[in-house]
Amino acid sequence: MLIAGNWKMNTDLPRGVELAKAIADGIDDADSAFDAIDFAVCPPFVHLQAVGEVLEDHPVAVGAQDVHSEDEGAYTSDVSAPMLTSVGCTHVIIGHSERRQYYGETDGEVNQKALQAHRHDLVPIICVGETIDQRRSGDAKSVVHAQLEGALDGLEVTAADDLIIAYEPVWAIGTGESATPEQAQDMHAVIREDLADRYGADVASDIELLYGGSMKPHNAADLLSQPDVTGGLIGSASLEAESFLGIAEEAAAVLEG
Ligand code: PGA
């Protein structure tokens, strides 16, 4: 079970460090309650090193929110995989719907970034998800299927922890209206099947499939108790340690049965 925070373009450096410290303290205070939970936080680029230092002795991976597909070059404002690994980053979100929507990121670009992440031993957290119009017209599954097909082209996955997929229906992100547990499970089962076709059932069965889109402490247990929902990619509720760890508490309770 992986509980991952996507801070997006929020927090200045002092606030980001404070948030990381509060998460670290909360995990310490919980003693062994979170032993079965994996954590990750994805702060803005400029906080990665400082947040990494705060979390160094804690079981919280640090991820970026994007990566360029080239190692270096004349790409003003972009950040490369070697830069990320040099500040201790281990994960990277790729193809978030906000990147697709505001920057026109295509499945092909998502694929290039995922391949680049692997070349540098970064675990890609690949985001997929349909818009409300696509859901209403009954195309949600084919849209997600096509996004996966594009994103995973040529991407070798031999162990389950080489890849994380986040299903984030666009209509649920930041709206307060999460998918129902059934909608999430339905789509996660489709994703799991796609991964099994591509990588074999053994590997696919252990790949983390995160749900993202208005996950909060109050709805986390229902979502996370679905068999193929093995974690959350959390936006606004990850900006307060209390709500982020509140979701982790729900996850721990689900695991305990
Ligand atoms: P949200 O964002 O939890 O604020 O809906 C999730 C995401 O976009 O990763």
Side-chain angles (χ1 to χ4, degrees):
M1 187 79 84
L2 172 64
I3 300 300
N6 174 12
W7 296 4
K8 308 192 181 184
M9 196 178 72
N10 294 296
T11 71
D12 59 10
L13 183 61
R15 170 78 191 110
V17 166
E18 190 189 322
L19 175 56
K21 279 186 182 149
I23 290 169
D25 288 348
I27 293 173
D28 285 347
D29 291 348
D31 276 329
S32 56
F34 293 143
D35 279 2
I37 311 281
D38 292 320
F39 287 97
V41 293
C42 302
F45 287 129
V46 290
H47 304 2
L48 284 171
Q49 184 166 6
V51 165
E53 281 163 13
V54 171
L55 295 172
E56 205 169 357
D57 297 321
H58 292 84
V60 185
V62 177
Q65 299 173 18
D66 189 23
V67 65
H68 196 273
S69 56
E70 297 289 331
D71 280 3
E72 60 186 6
Y75 301 103
T76 299
S77 92
D78 275 319
V79 174
S80 72
M83 292 175 191
L84 296 181
T85 54
S86 74
V87 294
C89 209
T90 55
H91 290 64
V92 58
I93 295 173
I94 298 177
H96 190 281
S97 66
E98 287 149 16
R99 300 290 319 166
R100 295 175 189 261
Q101 187 180 346
Y102 303 136
Y103 301 93
E105 203 161 290
T106 63
D107 290 329
E109 285 163 338
V110 171
N111 177 242
Q112 289 305 309
K113 291 178 177 192
L115 293 170
Q116 173 71 344
H118 269 191
R119 282 193 287 272
H120 292 276
D121 291 329
L122 287 162
V123 181
I125 304 173
I126 298 179
C127 300
V128 295
E130 80 287 356
T131 63
I132 192 63
D133 288 345
Q134 290 164 334
R135 175 157 286 269
R136 286 194 181 127
S137 59
D139 295 330
K141 286 179 183 169
S142 60
V143 165
V144 168
H145 178 73
Q147 287 174 334
L148 281 178
E149 202 159 80
L152 301 178
D153 189 27
L155 192 77
E156 272 184 48
V157 173
T158 52
D161 50 13
D162 289 347
L163 175 67
I164 297 168
I165 303 289
Y167 168 55
E168 300 205 309
V170 178
W171 47 271
I173 294 175
T175 59
E177 185 204 342
S178 81
T180 65
E182 295 71 27
Q183 286 170 326
Q185 169 55 30
D186 242 29
M187 192 64 85
H188 282 225
V190 168
I191 295 170
R192 184 85 69 199
E193 231 173 82
D194 272 16
L195 295 176
D197 288 347
R198 192 174 283 271
Y199 301 121
D202 277 0
V203 170
S205 64
D206 287 334
I207 291 178
E208 299 280 18
L209 300 188
L210 313 183
Y211 167 80
S214 300
M215 186 184 275
K216 314 280 179 197
H218 76 84
N219 60 20
D222 285 345
L223 289 160
L224 295 171
S225 48
Q226 300 303 310
D228 288 303
V229 180
T230 65
L233 183 56
I234 297 135
S236 61
S238 74
L239 296 173
E240 298 292 340
E242 196 185 338
S243 43
F244 184 61
L245 295 174
I247 292 173
E249 277 167 28
E250 298 298 327
V254 166
L255 287 178
E256 268 168 31

